[in-house]
Amino acid sequence: MMENGFSVLILAAGKATRFKSEHSKMLHRLAGRPLGEYVLRAAQATAPEKTYMVIGHEAEEVRKAFARPGLTFIEQKEQLGTGHALIVAREELDRCSSPTLVVLVADAPLLRPETLLGLVEAHTKARAAATVLTTRLENPYGYGRILRASGDRVRAIVEEKVATPAQRKIREINSGILAFSRAKLLEHLTALSPENAQKEYLLTDLVEIFNRHRLKVVAFPVADAREVLGVNDRVELAEMEKTLRLRKAEALARAGVTVVNPEATYIDADVEVGPDTVIEPGVSLLGATRVGVACTLRPYIIITDSVLGDLVTVRPYAVISGC
């Protein structure tokens, strides 16, 4: 086995409490995809040896939405914290042969595969028991703060609820994404306890546990904080939707498509558009729509799960679905 072989475990069991929703947060739509689809695709793009997803709330619906070859579901029937998710997954992790396990939050849709590969490389090079993906925020309120030792060593992660005034001034935060030595993780998993401010089994408590056993824990900072920030409520979902749609419009423009007003155009993540096509304001291209070369899409049309050939003009206010 290669020394840098790794597997991925995605934490996707929680209910959308701050969404004020009865549905799993993973199933809420974002630019045409379920929210959880983004991290899952990023993870699988790194070609891990195994991919696991811990599910809980609306488990059957989540299974249907994300089922694919190479993905193993682990059901966490009681959601007692991120550490509890790993406890529930222990049987599968005991069978896993990868030396490294990367644990991901499922609600960070801008996470790039390159960042995950960089995390694994840094973790392997450092020969660490755990490597924490961190970033810096101007306003870190609500996030766990990184307490550094010397150099890149991490002493602990302190949650907002129990942080001192001095610790709350720290701008480096925990993203919730960590790489572990699978062997060390399994060796110390039973040391987790719900005796903390959250009254939950917290995965981040392993950082302090590892330090008590003189095991190495390091930080791997990412420069662009947006890449690792989660979507915690519907306000943040709307902000992320805008970000993704503007990125999509920019990518199409760089590929030869004229998008007259990107801020007034709605193009889902999986839509394809040929060069020399002109997309006028108010157009919505949704689902698995494909548009050919040199088309003209007039204002305020909606095209869903449809295929247009080349040199097609669609007049204003048209609605096309499943064609």
Side-chain angles (χ1 to χ4, degrees), residues 10-15 24 26 54-58 74 76 79 85 106:
I10 301 170
L11 303 176
K15 184 179 178 181
S24 167
M26 298 303 98
V54 179
I55 60 176
H57 187 65
E58 282 199 309
I74 300 167
Q76 183 187 13
Q79 284 84 62

Side-chain angles (χ1 to χ4, degrees), residues 31 39 45 82 99 114 197 212 221 242 248 275 285 300 307 321:
V39 162
T82 52
E114 294 84 357
R212 285 205 304 266
K242 182 177 180 180
K248 180 69 174 183
L285 303 177
Y300 304 107
V307 178
S321 182

Side-chain angles (χ1 to χ4, degrees), residues 86 89-91 93-96 181-190 210:
L86 271 289
R90 174 154 202 155
E91 187 176 333
L93 297 180
D94 278 331
R95 289 198 292 264
C96 177
S181 158
R182 187 182 59 85
K184 296 300 182 187
L185 171 70
L186 294 176
E187 182 181 343
H188 295 282
L189 202 52
T190 55
F210 282 177

Side-chain angles (χ1 to χ4, degrees), residues 69-80:
L71 176 61
T72 299
F73 291 103
I74 300 167
E75 188 169 354
Q76 183 187 13
K77 293 184 178 179
E78 276 190 289
Q79 284 84 62
L80 303 178

Side-chain angles (χ1 to χ4, degrees), residues 96-205:
C96 177
S97 58
S98 301
T100 297
L101 180 74
V102 179
V103 178
L104 302 178
V105 291
D107 63 349
L110 300 183
L111 183 66
R112 299 182 306 128
E114 294 84 357
T115 298
L116 293 180
L117 290 172
L119 171 66
V120 171
E121 182 180 1
H123 174 78
T124 304
K125 186 175 180 181
R127 298 185 179 276
T131 303
V132 186
L133 187 62
T134 72
T135 193
R136 297 178 70 84
L137 297 177
E138 288 298 324
N139 178 15
Y141 178 79
Y143 288 92
R145 308 305 203 279
I146 300 296
L147 300 189
R148 292 249 187 174
S150 58
D152 62 352
R153 300 289 284 264
V154 175
R155 180 162 47 91
I157 298 172
V158 178
E159 300 300 329
E160 177 81 30
K161 289 182 180 180
V162 296
T164 66
Q167 290 168 344
R168 288 188 181 127
K169 292 179 181 177
I170 297 171
R171 290 174 50 211
E172 186 177 20
I173 60 102
N174 168 41
S175 69
I177 298 169
L178 300 95
F180 288 99
S181 158
R182 187 182 59 85
K184 296 300 182 187
L185 171 70
L186 294 176
E187 182 181 343
H188 295 282
L189 202 52
T190 55
L192 288 177
S193 162
E195 299 301 317
N196 51 50
Q198 283 88 343
K199 304 300 180 187
E200 293 182 339
Y201 296 89
L202 299 178
L203 194 60
T204 50
D205 285 351

